[in-house]
Amino acid sequence: MASEDIKLTKLAKCAGCGAKVGAGVLAKLLSDIKVHHDDNLLVGFDKSDDASVYKISDDLAIVQTVDFFPPIADDPYLFGQIAATNALSDVYAMGGEPKLCLNIMAIPENMPMEAVHALLRGGYDKVYEAGALITGGHSIHDDEPKYGLAVTGFVHPDKMLTNSNARPGDVLLLTKPIGIGVLSTAAKADMLSKSGQELINRLMTTLNKAARDAMVKYNVHACTDVTGFGLIGHTYEMASGSDTEIILDVDSIDLIPEALELARMGMLPAGMYRNRNFAQAHVDAGDTELAKQDMLYDPQTAGGLLIAVAPEDADALFNELKNTVPSAQRIGTVSEYKGDKRIRLR
């Protein structure tokens, strides 16, 4: 079998971050596992954050994360790029800079070697674009291909960002449009337009490096990347962790038009339903159209950064992002929690 004949997405039951274990299930699995106390562990898995952070010195902390998933693209090189972009994103969300990466790969025994080589080359190229290095890794045989990275980055301990420090008055900015999961589902069903495929390929291979480099210049209080739990899932984690309420202006969110039309037709990934089950009890949807709600629960792969910035810096950061990210959006505000719902759609 030649590498050009391979259809990687046909070998996978789920695509990209749509394969993630649901946030609610994950919380239950981790609920009674205690993190050992260490004064230098600044962020552990008990924080529902994007990566762990460990303080090495007064000026240096390491950021560590791991992310891998089954194919979201048929082309092995493109799949490698997307998986690497997604894995690197967690370090950027913490305000860090990726430095060292390890490959994590599972491949069918009959997968052509040139396809495996292309997959790895895609990962290498994105890691090098990020200014980091791949120094090794681990691979196994599996009926379903999977690929990703373990990533180590650096951050100053005092400049580390988490998803749980948003403050009332903060402005929420987003750096990529929403709808990648819906379009990926349509692609698996051969219902995606050529322009739609080109769009998500471009979005999923755009590093969040430029967004990170811009936001660290300003008074940003919290950040997370929008991936498998969807915009509302990650926004809920931010609101809950910060003990705040978040108001989202739905009309200001860049919903990919083709994805919205497909959502209206019922073309929705399974991960959307898991995300809705996890977060909808904490959401006041108002009169928001159901298809638009579905889009806000749509699992993203290599999605953008969700940034909570102090109001006095919001305009400056927004203006800088407009020139550096795929889609700079000013999508909402943070307010004091008054009880009941954590997220309100307007």
Side-chain angles (χ1 to χ4, degrees), residues 242-312:
S242 306
D243 194 23
T244 58
E245 180 179 298
I246 288 177
I247 300 168
L248 293 178
D249 180 2
V250 177
D251 288 340
S252 297
I253 299 171
D254 185 2
L255 303 178
I256 300 171
E258 183 175 359
L260 181 56
E261 288 307 308
L262 287 164
R264 287 172 174 150
M265 295 166 53
M267 180 63 67
L268 300 167
M272 188 285 298
Y273 296 99
R274 291 195 296 268
N275 292 339
R276 182 183 279 278
N277 289 338
F278 164 62
Q280 68 176 347
H282 309 284
V283 178
D284 176 0
D287 59 359
T288 303
E289 178 190 351
L290 180 59
K292 291 184 178 181
Q293 292 182 48
D294 290 340
M295 291 277 288
L296 301 184
Y297 289 105
D298 180 40
Q300 307 301 287
T301 298
L305 296 187
L306 177 66
I307 303 166
V309 59
E312 62 272 16

Side-chain angles (χ1 to χ4, degrees), residues 24-199:
V25 174
L26 192 59
K28 290 178 181 177
L29 290 172
L30 296 173
S31 62
D32 63 347
I33 299 177
K34 303 300 180 184
V35 176
H36 286 270
H37 177 75
D38 186 323
D39 288 339
N40 291 318
L41 182 62
L42 304 182
V43 180
F45 70 76
D46 56 325
K47 301 294 185 183
S48 297
D49 226 307
D50 296 298
S52 62
V53 182
Y54 192 88
K55 182 178 177 181
I56 301 297
S57 68
D58 289 343
D59 300 319
L60 179 66
I62 58 171
V63 185
Q64 286 193 315
T65 186
V66 59
D67 212 315
F68 67 102
F69 49 58
I72 195 167
D74 286 323
D75 177 72
Y77 178 75
L78 179 61
F79 172 42
Q81 286 187 303
I82 293 168
T85 299
N86 187 74
L88 292 161
S89 184
D90 285 341
V91 174
Y92 290 133
M94 306 294 288
E97 294 181 87
K99 292 298 179 183
L100 299 174
C101 303
L102 298 171
N103 284 316
I104 300 170
M105 183 173 67
I107 53 171
E109 291 191 60
N110 64 347
M111 187 169 173
M113 285 300 100
E114 59 265 32
V116 179
H117 179 266
L119 188 160
L120 291 170
R121 185 164 52 85
Y124 272 71
D125 284 352
K126 275 296 156 183
V127 167
Y128 294 153
E129 182 184 333
L133 299 170
I134 290 182
T135 58
H138 185 69
S139 60
I140 62 170
H141 284 128
D142 192 356
D143 291 340
E144 184 177 275
K146 302 172 186 71
Y147 177 66
L149 300 171
V151 185
T152 298
F154 297 158
V155 70
H156 192 289
D158 297 334
K159 297 178 181 178
M160 170 193 73
L161 296 172
T162 72
N163 68 356
S164 58
N165 197 39
R167 303 175 188 178
D170 282 353
V171 174
L172 287 181
L173 305 179
L174 183 63
T175 65
K176 290 186 183 181
I178 297 294
I180 290 172
V182 171
L183 295 186
S184 299
T185 300
K188 283 178 69 76
D190 296 321
M191 292 180 62
L192 183 60
S193 70
K194 181 180 178 181
S195 61
Q197 186 68 67
E198 291 171 348
L199 173 61

